[in-house]
Amino acid sequence: MDQFEDYAGQSVHVMRLQAEFQNGSFTHAYLFAGPAGTGKRSVARLCAMAALCRGERKPCGECGPCRRFLAGTHPDVHVLTPMQGKRDIAVGQMRDMLKEADVHTFEDSVKVFMIPEAEKMNAASQNTLLKTLEEPAPNTVFLLTAVHMSALLPTVVSRCRLIRFHPLSDEQTQARLRALGVPENQVAVRAQIAEGCVGQALAVRDETIQLRNEIASLFFSAHTLADVPAAVNRFKDEKDNRAVILDLFEEIVREIIAVQAGGKQPLTLPQEARAYVGHVPLEGGLSLRERIVEARKMLQSYVSYQSVLETVLIKISEEYSKWPW
Ligand SMILES: [Zn+2]
């Protein structure tokens, strides 16, 4: 089970939250805001469970209330999301949920109201919620989560304790992924793709990683002009991934330049690409970067994907012949 400590890097407020929920001094409403995949909902769930927990160290994950929370069967927990097929949280849904705030608790503890996509409340729902937030019933806690805080009424935001979440550094993301049991050969690449949002790093599909590895090997497969047609042929059907291909080419080139400029050996590239990076001279890297920028422009001006790929690979093969092996 997650612990508050696991999210301490994502928001400076997380450890204070743990203390508040541990000693029961939590306030009546919190808004967890920040980019997708930074742990907002996980922390909101820890707060909910800690508010209900009867264990020593909250949330213990083992007492009756914790177990019921984890099973999604705790009678004092209400989670509000749009009805199936609807975009908004309708005012009727909001009213129905808020009626529960006036009823006594089933387990004689705290009533928890969770709104995991708070930006989906329409204006009427938000105004209805606002009245409750202005005069909160005792023993209730509202836990709102939002990526786009601008969709919320300023009056709603100001009635909540705001907890901002931020993406992690690359090192922190990698450490977290390791702790979550992500295989070592996927840690760096997942961290790189997700740009500090652990949830997004976990959501990267295996096919995406596979494609990345193949693109990296494509980059280094055109050793001479004679190799270009075969390399183009191998990727000619990947038209839908043309932007991804150029992005990764650019990433490889950026790392070539970084290494030649005295940076450390990169860890984010697939193994196959890493072996080459240190061999490419700085001028080669810079010249390849120019060609990739041009290729992006060519794609925008409707030059065919296949011609663009061919042009870039020809340039790479020209450079390749100059590298000191
Ligand atoms: Zn517990």
Side-chain angles (χ1 to χ4, degrees):
M1 194 187 84
D2 281 1
Q3 297 293 340
F4 280 103
E5 290 87 339
D6 295 331
Y7 300 93
Q10 251 128 346
S11 173
V12 293
H13 305 294
V14 166
M15 298 321 290
R16 203 173 85 191
L17 278 175
Q18 180 182 34
E20 285 174 6
F21 280 87
Q22 178 68 41
N23 65 27
S25 66
F26 52 88
T27 185
H28 66 284
Y30 292 85
L31 169 60
F32 303 91
T38 46
K40 302 178 299 297
R41 284 191 211 176
S42 303
V43 171
R45 284 175 57 78
L46 284 170
C47 290
M49 192 159 46
L52 301 161
C53 178
R54 303 255 166 94
E56 280 278 302
R57 191 172 183 278
K58 302 174 197 305
C60 71
E62 284 163 9
C63 68
C66 279
R67 282 174 189 275
R68 284 189 284 285
F69 178 83
L70 289 169
T73 57
H74 198 299
D76 292 321
V77 176
H78 303 275
V79 182
L80 190 58
T81 54
M83 306 272 266
Q84 191 145 29
K86 301 281 186 213
R87 276 176 46 195
D88 289 353
I89 294 172
V91 68
Q93 287 180 273
M94 181 62 80
R95 282 200 195 102
D96 287 346
M97 182 180 82
L98 294 178
K99 275 183 206 150
E100 299 291 333
D102 297 327
V103 183
H104 66 87
T105 63
F106 287 90
E107 296 204 359
D108 191 26
S109 60
V110 176
K111 263 179 291 189
V112 179
F113 298 91
M114 306 184 80
I115 310 180
E117 295 169 284
E119 58 268 83
K120 297 214 168 149
M121 295 186 286
N122 61 27
S125 301
Q126 292 192 46
N127 276 312
T128 304
L129 173 64
L130 187 59
K131 290 186 198 107
T132 303
L133 294 181
E134 282 167 346
E135 292 170 40
N139 297 325
T140 55
V141 60
F142 286 83
L143 302 167
L144 281 60
T145 313
V147 174
H148 304 291
M149 226 170 54
S150 57
L152 297 175
L153 297 175
T155 41
V156 168
V157 175
S158 72
R159 291 281 163 187
C160 298
R161 168 93 63 81
L162 179 60
I163 312 285
R164 283 187 188 276
F165 280 66
H166 303 282
L168 295 178
S169 71
D170 204 48
E171 286 78 17
Q172 288 173 313
T173 311
Q174 292 195 22
R176 183 85 182 107
L177 293 178
R178 282 192 189 95
L180 290 168
V182 170
E184 188 56 37
N185 62 357
Q186 295 188 4
V187 165
V189 61
R190 282 181 185 271
Q192 169 99 12
I193 295 171
E195 296 181 338
C197 301
V198 172
Q200 291 180 29
L202 293 172
V204 172
R205 301 200 333 245
D206 286 347
E207 298 89 79
T208 306
I209 293 178
Q210 177 66 20
L211 178 68
R212 248 180 93 92
N213 288 338
E214 287 176 18
I215 294 170
S217 74
L218 171 72
F219 187 96
F220 293 104
S221 65
H223 296 184
T224 68
L225 266 181
D227 296 324
V228 170
V232 170
N233 207 33
R234 186 169 147 209
F235 267 74
K236 70 178 186 338
D237 297 328
E238 292 287 352
K239 193 168 179 239
D240 291 346
N241 287 316
R242 57 193 182 277
V244 181
I245 292 172
L246 282 185
D247 281 352
L248 188 61
F249 277 12
E250 197 173 355
E251 201 179 297
I252 292 171
V253 169
R254 209 170 39 229
E255 299 213 348
I256 288 171
I257 294 169
V259 166
Q260 293 307 326
K264 62 179 167 74
Q265 178 73 10
L267 294 172
T268 54
L269 293 177
Q271 192 69 38
E272 193 167 357
R274 255 185 264 166
Y276 289 88
V277 164
H279 293 283
V280 186
L282 184 57
E283 315 81 71
L286 293 172
S287 154
L288 284 173
R289 185 170 65 183
E290 265 172 47
R291 193 48 60 99
I292 287 163
V293 170
E294 280 166 25
R296 222 182 269 287
K297 285 188 193 143
M298 283 164 77
L299 273 183
Q300 280 159 5
S301 54
Y302 305 103
V303 177
S304 84
Y305 154 72
Q306 200 163 326
S307 318
V308 172
L309 188 61
E310 205 169 69
T311 310
V312 177
L313 288 171
I314 288 172
K315 177 67 187 168
I316 293 171
S317 73
E318 284 169 14
E319 285 299 328
Y320 193 98
S321 63
K322 299 183 209 158
W323 299 344
W325 295 105

